[in-house]
Amino acid sequence: MAPGEKIKAKIKKNLTVTGPQAPSIKELMKWYCLNTNTHGCRRIVVSRGRLRRLIWVVFTLTAVGLILWQCALLVLSFYSVSVSIKVHFQKLEFPAVTICNINPYKYSALKELLSGLDQETKNALRNLYGLSNIKSRKRREADPPQSSEGDSHSKFLNILPLVVFEPDDTTKEATDLLTGRKRKVSGTIVHKASDVMHVQETKKTVGFQMCEKNGTSDDCATYTFNSGVNAIREWYKLHYMNIMAQVPLEKKINMSYSAEELLVTCFFDGVSCDARNFTLFHHPMYGNCYTFNGDITKTALNTSMGGSEYGLQVILYIDEEEYNPFLISSTGAKVVIHRRDEYPFIEDIGTEIETAMATSIGMHLTESFKLSEPYSQCTKDGRDVPVESIYNATYSLQICLHSCFQRHMSETCHCAQYSQPAPKNVSYCNYQKHPNWMYCYYKLHQAFVQEKLGCQAICREPCKFKEWSLTTSLAQWPSDISEKWMLDVLTWDKGQKENKRLNKTDLAKLLIFYKDLNQRSIIESPANSIEILLSNFGGQLGLWMSCSVVCVLEIIEVFFVDSLSIITRRCWQKIKKRWAQRNTQQGQSPSGNPEDLAGCDNPTCVLDDDLPTFSTALQLPQAPGAHVPGTPPPKYNTLRIERTFSNQLEDTQDSENV
């Protein structure tokens, strides 16, 4: 190696290389490990022996992996909530209570409308099960029998044919109940208790067939049931809904029970009340219902103490003689406890109470406050849910689901399901206006249950809601000892005639009260914040790598900024070198600045933009025309000094010899 090369290599070795001025990534990493405060990286460089270095490399990489894992968990769990429960003892607002008779309309008021349907139902029961002695109430036996001749006899069975599947019949043939003939069952066979029906092999299976008007035989669907009772009641209910859909609302209200008829006595918080404290709410399937404390234009009622004596106590007149035998199979009333501004869904969340019983319902109030996005999918007021509500009430999950189903009914079947209020500008379904509404309804209802309509995915629960947890208990009422005098007094209060004395099976007592005045509030709050997240990050960095935020910034600078700078500079040098070689090979004289010519032709030029150092100064070119002698000319002054100094040395040597 030439002397100049040795000097350049020695200077390069001893000079301190810092930051992006390092010639390579390797030397940059070496400089970082020697100067960083992260002890693991430093031990990789200063440790002696390959085994120790390997161990420290493994430890450092493991610590880095643990830091990344823990930090990822912290980020993923950032949108978590903490739940706090607060209990308040205060005077509580009494909820709204909606009460409905299970029987929607008086049977005596419907006998003319339902005479043909009832007669065909009796004929179907006689043909199916041999029930020829179906007795009516005493007051109905006095009515003249309805004619079953003519077209009215087969009107309902023609619309929805009742069919019977024989056991061990695999030919998909069924017996038509009207004609008694075998008919081929085409299309799909759906069992109401499952998705796909498998005909039972041990007994007859009863069902009815629904076909789309003007459609082919493949457009039919046969619905079967485990029990003939369910099949007959469902078949009867569909025709009943169609008949009642054609009756004006005002007439239906008159055919149902009035508040004075339903309520015998009323008592609230130690004070008597009456029918004027209840507001009418008409439900298509339950007739006239009455809501206590439901008028939002009036001041809400409060209860001063807990216990049954300070709640709502009512005695209801059920009037079992007016029950429809084919539509209603149980006796009693339905009760819904809800917010004052909430729509009462009787068919979804109603609680049934029995006759000849005192039903006590104790309540505990719980108010929940949930966090909205990004913590949960709840909605504050339902405005961000893409379903238009058809109810004039505060948003709830039931309102959204029913409105979504009604929307599909109005769009697909061009009508509204009769059991719910109709959307705007859409009439109720009936045979005269929409002959296919039953078929369409059943198809849509099946898709709704199987979540094919997407209503369950669209609708979201509200972020704020009140919930009353109920505890129900029963007791015989009235007792055998007090039955006689109590029924006499209630008959007198009711104003009944002596020959229509009240029976205990016509009465039901209801008590609704707060068990105590403790209101429980469940409140969600963010479990994390930016400050807590940064503190957790610092704890992980200090635990595994003993570094701080400054060390993290240093890592970002070295591993991203400086490394990228070195890589970019080296790539630029290679590009310039290749460009210079290409121009040289083509024999073209590069044009431009003289500095560029020197950079391309002079091999001692450094092709980067760094400031000159001592090593680059050794490679500077000599001046043109200069001669570098092999031996420099003598300096006379120094020669004199050397001659004198040599004479002194000779004298010294002579004296030593002497």
Side-chain angles (χ1 to χ4, degrees), residues 245-258:
Q246 305 173 44
V247 180
L249 178 61
E250 183 178 357
K251 185 177 180 180
K252 287 189 290 187
I253 292 177
N254 295 330
M255 290 189 299
S256 186
Y257 299 90
S258 64

Side-chain angles (χ1 to χ4, degrees), residues 167-283:
D168 302 328
D169 190 356
T170 60
T171 60
K172 275 195 174 184
E173 289 185 350
T175 303
D176 192 322
L177 196 62
L178 178 62
T179 61
R181 300 177 181 177
K182 289 284 187 179
R183 60 185 300 171
K184 189 72 173 179
V185 177
S186 57
T188 57
I189 301 178
V190 181
H191 195 275
K192 291 294 290 182
S194 61
D195 295 335
V196 180
M197 182 266 181
H198 299 283
V199 179
Q200 298 186 12
E201 299 179 356
T202 58
K203 61 180 181 179
K204 295 181 179 180
T205 303
V206 183
F208 52 83
Q209 192 175 47
M210 303 177 65
C211 297
E212 186 174 1
K213 186 179 180 181
N214 300 326
T216 62
S217 59
D218 294 335
D219 296 328
C220 297
T222 304
Y223 294 87
T224 61
F225 301 81
N226 288 330
S227 172
V229 172
N230 296 334
I232 295 296
R233 290 189 67 241
E234 188 72 10
W235 177 83
Y236 185 93
K237 181 180 177 181
L238 290 174
H239 289 294
Y240 168 83
M241 290 166 59
N242 174 74
I243 293 173
M244 296 306 299
Q246 305 173 44
V247 180
L249 178 61
E250 183 178 357
K251 185 177 180 180
K252 287 189 290 187
I253 292 177
N254 295 330
M255 290 189 299
S256 186
Y257 299 90
S258 64
E260 290 77 9
E261 292 174 331
L262 181 64
L263 299 169
V264 180
T265 63
C266 179
F267 203 70
F268 175 74
D269 199 18
V271 180
S272 296
C273 54
D274 54 23
R276 291 173 296 179
N277 299 102
F278 292 79
T279 55
L280 174 63
F281 162 68
H282 185 80
H283 192 280

